[in-house]
Amino acid sequence: MGNLLGVFNTVEEAIEAADAAQKLFIKGFTIDDRERMISEIRKVFIADAEKIAGMTVEESKLGRVDDKIQKVMLAATGTAGTEVLSTNVFSSHQGTTIEEGAPYGVIGAITPVTNPTETILGNGISMIASGNAVVFNVHPSAKNVSAYGVNLINEAIIAAGGPVNLITMVKEPTMETMQEIAKSPKTKLLVGTGGPGLVKALLNSGKKVIAAGAGNPPVIIDETANIELAGATIVASSSFDNNLLCIGEKEVFVVDSVADQLINVMANSGSYLLSKEEVVKVTELVFTKDEENAAKPCTEDVRSQFHLKKEWVGQDAIKILKAIGVTASADIRNLIFETDFNNPFVQIEQMMPVLPIVRCTDYEEAIKFAVEAEHDNKHSAAMWSNNIERITKFGKLINTTIFVQNGATMAGIGFGGSGTTTATIATPTGEGITNSMTFTRRRRFAIGNGGNYIL
Ligand code: NAD
């Protein structure tokens, strides 16, 4: 790739360029101009979705091209623009006050390898809609496709008459460049999408942070649920992009009386049911066991005993099967198996198409297990039930940012469900489904002495 717009050798250059662009943007362009630029960005990403998806899988070596096309399309079409920027007006005999969302200026944003271009696209649309510029520190394992995306956004903005460099990135992102971005006096807000290490680093920065952290979404199925629909939907959703999505179902808790039926439906909907011996082989394949912690009783915390082998994250189910010596038909999308609550696949956010199923005596035990397995990430959860009291009880207890009933967890980000989308679900810091309004400062203009009060 030659010279790409918005891609800089140093953090300083990337921030300076974004800062200059944002100043021009605020002075010389209206909200309608922003919307015109966003429309152009949507258009070019829709046209290029296939190519971007292919480039992403090739570079990151994670996920499935077909699903990534849909992810790019969703971010391009479902991310809110300027329409969600809201204004509050207060008026009384004492005067009129207008409260609006003003831009921060330059935002520093960190992106994950699991949704590299979707995050740049979604954050880019939201941050431009709110009048900001952004400098990205992208995941190093997706830096080339990310640079391609940053260039594409810049080209679209220019085609719509806007300034270059509203979106920039550092060409060779590292932990050090991330720290430089965090420390720069010119970045007024930090937005991070990623795992616990990133969230911790950002929260230590001393700056305002919007963090979208890890999840481990449980799904409960009780005996009142539509088991056929639940089984088929969970297979499709949890295997989507090889379960790289933070929101994807990662473990199943099913009431005993319908467990066999559910497993049967799943096995007929694209899942491969692992035997006990195969479960052992897959576990040894994708996890290392920490010898120091291995002596502890298993109930202590499986998360300190098992560690994911990164090379197996986001791989195809067929590839995992092949590695343990099993040949399966090409339409197998994920692997399922029955296990107990302390299994590492239940407790650890594994981001691969392996879905553990825990049989529970009743819905109350399922709720207890699910709440524990979510580990207070406050991320996502789902329940399949036709009993509204149980659903309400679980929703309150699990207290996640996204709680889906009788649908795929992806419905919570507008995929097969209503509502706008985002690739940045701000969980530990609480902003939830981010949109352009999230990236604004509330600012008031007040007129005193009865000004503009006309009643
Ligand atoms: P990751 O944490 O390994 O990397 C994310 C980004 O943070 C990368 O750019 C990486 O270079 C950087 N990073 C990682 N550790 C860091 C540290 N200690 N200091 C500074 N920067 C650091 O995550 P990943 O594998 O790219 O993405 C998957 C993770 O992200 C999962 O945990 C998933 O649940 C989470 N995620 C959350 C959301 C959400 O909206 N809540 C969305 C996507 C992914």
Side-chain angles (χ1 to χ4, degrees), residues 62 109-115 119 137-141 173-176 178-179 192-202 211-217 244-247 250 310 313 349 351 379 413 422-428 432 434:
L62 306 177
I110 296 91
T111 60
V113 68
T114 47
N115 316 315
T119 311
N137 203 61
V138 304
H139 196 292
S141 304
T174 60
M175 297 289 179
E176 289 70 38
M178 180 267 172
Q179 289 297 345
T193 309
L198 169 67
V199 172
K200 199 169 159 204
L202 288 183
N216 192 35
L244 284 176
L245 274 68
C246 56
I247 194 175
K250 297 287 188 296
K310 283 215 159 164
V313 167
E349 186 201 30
M351 293 182 292
H379 203 294
I413 50 162
T422 182
T424 299
I425 305 161
T427 41
T434 54

Side-chain angles (χ1 to χ4, degrees), residues 97-110:
T97 295
I98 302 166
E99 199 173 68
E100 282 181 313
Y104 277 89
V106 178
I107 299 174
I110 296 91

Side-chain angles (χ1 to χ4, degrees), residues 222-224 363 367 383 387-394:
D222 80 4
E223 69 280 15
T224 70
Y363 81 91
I367 289 178
M383 184 169 193
N387 182 315
I388 197 81
E389 281 165 31
R390 294 179 183 181
I391 292 173
T392 309
K393 183 175 178 182
F394 181 40

Side-chain angles (χ1 to χ4, degrees), residues 16-58:
E16 285 299 328
D19 188 43
Q22 199 266 341
K23 290 195 167 105
L24 268 178
F25 191 40
I26 286 305
K27 251 198 225 155
F29 296 88
T30 65
I31 296 273
D32 287 349
D33 293 331
R34 292 184 200 173
E35 203 45 57
R36 222 183 34 257
M37 296 169 204
I38 290 167
S39 296
E40 191 62 29
I41 295 169
R42 295 189 199 280
K43 205 169 84 191
V44 295
F45 273 79
I46 291 168
D48 236 16
E50 218 173 301
K51 179 173 177 190
I52 291 168
M55 286 172 73
T56 306
V57 174
E58 197 182 327

Side-chain angles (χ1 to χ4, degrees), residues 359-372:
R359 196 181 283 260
C360 307
T361 48
D362 52 22
Y363 81 91
E364 280 175 329
E365 186 178 58
I367 289 178
K368 180 176 157 289
F369 280 165
V371 169
E372 227 176 291

Side-chain angles (χ1 to χ4, degrees), residues 56 65 127 130 323:
T56 306
V65 174
M127 290 170 187
S130 45

Side-chain angles (χ1 to χ4, degrees), residues 192-210:
T193 309
L198 169 67
V199 172
K200 199 169 159 204
L202 288 183
L203 291 176
N204 282 336
S205 69
K207 274 198 182 152
K208 160 92 182 174
V209 170
I210 295 176

